[in-house]
Amino acid sequence: MGERTPENYAHHAKKAVDEQGYPALKCDPFAHYEHSLTDAQIDEVAALLEAVRDAVGWDVGIALDCHGRFTRRGAIEVADALEEYDIMFLEEPVELEDREVMADVTQHVNMPVATGERIYNNETMEDLVRKQACDIIQPDVTNYGSLQEVQHAASMAKSRYMTIAPHNPNAGVSTAASVHLCAGLENLEVLEHMSRDVEWADEIIEHDYTVEPGLGVTFHPDAAREYPGEPKDSHSLFDEEGALKRP
């Protein structure tokens, strides 16, 4: 939000990490540029990312959303130029309609490629997965029809060693649905969430979830030590030598 300057990017990045606990950030630092970038434009984008890295350190993920704006060659050049900033994933570097080109970009860049927010059914997602056109699929629950279908998409991706990062620049109901979905996904990469919302958002829905990392529980080790375990006879199917016990 605000000016497209290194100082402003760094300010909002640090705020999201330090005050809101986000473990990863996503931005579109490419302004109105399309197709490919000049050396001066690449330097401009690099300055923004360098400021963000300096602000949040190297343990925080940084994802770049390209919104399908680049040509095949332009996407590869941008990825090569920005590789040093340890990019979490490059989102939609080219238009998804040509999945062969997306697959070609994926094979030629040294960072994960993510795409899939404009896929609406598993027939198309299957083609994306089969062509290995990305590393991370990004179905959006508001577009996809049902949570079960997105679970199916995640399973297809898992079968080809791909992860899922559901697309979710959405409001409370969609976010709640996405959280429920993610709770049961083995190959979850990350869930997108908007760090800012409209002031009247809490008038629309009631909820008790908060944005903070972890499992949602607090473990008290001192209390746990008050109840140590006790050795018990083993009811293993195997004997001490590892052989199956016979009746």
Side-chain angles (χ1 to χ4, degrees):
M1 301 296 290
E3 295 182 352
R4 188 171 169 273
T5 64
E7 294 78 14
N8 189 55
Y9 265 53
H11 167 73
H12 285 292
K14 189 170 180 58
K15 182 177 180 180
V17 173
D18 291 350
E19 297 182 15
Q20 297 175 282
Y22 284 95
L25 310 167
K26 186 169 78 169
C27 63
D28 178 349
F30 304 110
H32 57 278
Y33 304 140
E34 291 187 298
H35 309 309
S36 61
L37 299 184
T38 65
D39 289 345
Q41 290 167 344
I42 287 178
D43 289 343
E44 183 183 310
V45 173
L48 298 175
L49 295 181
E50 184 176 4
V52 171
R53 267 285 168 241
D54 288 344
V56 302
W58 292 90
D59 292 332
V60 173
I62 298 177
L64 302 181
D65 197 341
C66 305
H67 290 106
R69 58 161 51 85
F70 295 120
T71 62
R72 172 195 169 278
R73 186 66 244 167
I76 294 173
E77 289 175 349
V78 164
D80 288 347
L82 303 179
E83 179 184 340
E84 65 179 288
Y85 299 105
D86 189 21
I87 302 303
M88 184 179 183
F89 59 77
L90 191 70
E91 181 174 332
E92 215 168 37
V94 296
E95 292 287 359
L96 181 59
E97 282 70 20
D98 194 331
R99 287 178 282 282
E100 286 80 5
V101 173
M102 185 74 78
D104 191 46
V105 171
T106 298
Q107 293 169 9
H108 283 88
V109 301
N110 291 320
M111 60 183 64
V113 171
T115 192
E117 68 183 69
R118 289 180 287 140
I119 290 180
Y120 306 104
N121 57 71
N122 276 329
E123 181 180 3
T124 308
M125 186 65 78
E126 181 183 12
D127 185 53
L128 179 82
V129 171
R130 188 175 63 252
K131 287 184 169 70
Q132 294 282 275
C134 65
D135 303 288
I136 305 168
I137 64 169
Q138 295 180 292
D140 189 316
V141 298
T142 63
N143 296 336
Y144 222 79
S146 74
L147 298 182
Q148 185 176 18
E149 288 295 292
V150 182
Q151 288 177 318
H152 186 189
S155 296
M156 288 193 294
K158 183 174 181 290
S159 72
R160 300 301 295 270
Y161 307 99
M162 300 160 68
T163 55
I164 176 173
H167 182 255
N168 180 53
N170 304 316
V173 175
S174 301
T175 296
S178 297
V179 169
H180 280 283
L181 168 74
C182 291
L185 298 181
E186 291 184 72
N187 55 331
L188 177 67
E189 183 81 29
V190 69
L191 172 64
E192 179 177 9
H193 178 262
M194 297 294 283
S195 63
R196 290 173 293 274
D197 209 340
V198 293
E199 295 179 356
W200 40 263
D202 290 338
E203 298 179 27
I204 306 301
I205 65 167
E206 293 183 21
H207 63 82
D208 58 2
Y209 60 78
T210 57
V211 180
E212 55 187 44
L215 297 175
V217 299
T218 300
F219 178 67
H220 298 291
D222 291 338
R225 292 189 185 96
E226 297 295 323
Y227 307 95
E230 297 179 1
K232 295 182 179 180
D233 292 336
S234 173
H235 297 290
S236 173
L237 296 175
F238 303 92
D239 62 23
E240 294 179 356
E241 296 180 354
L244 182 66
K245 294 177 180 178
R246 300 293 182 182

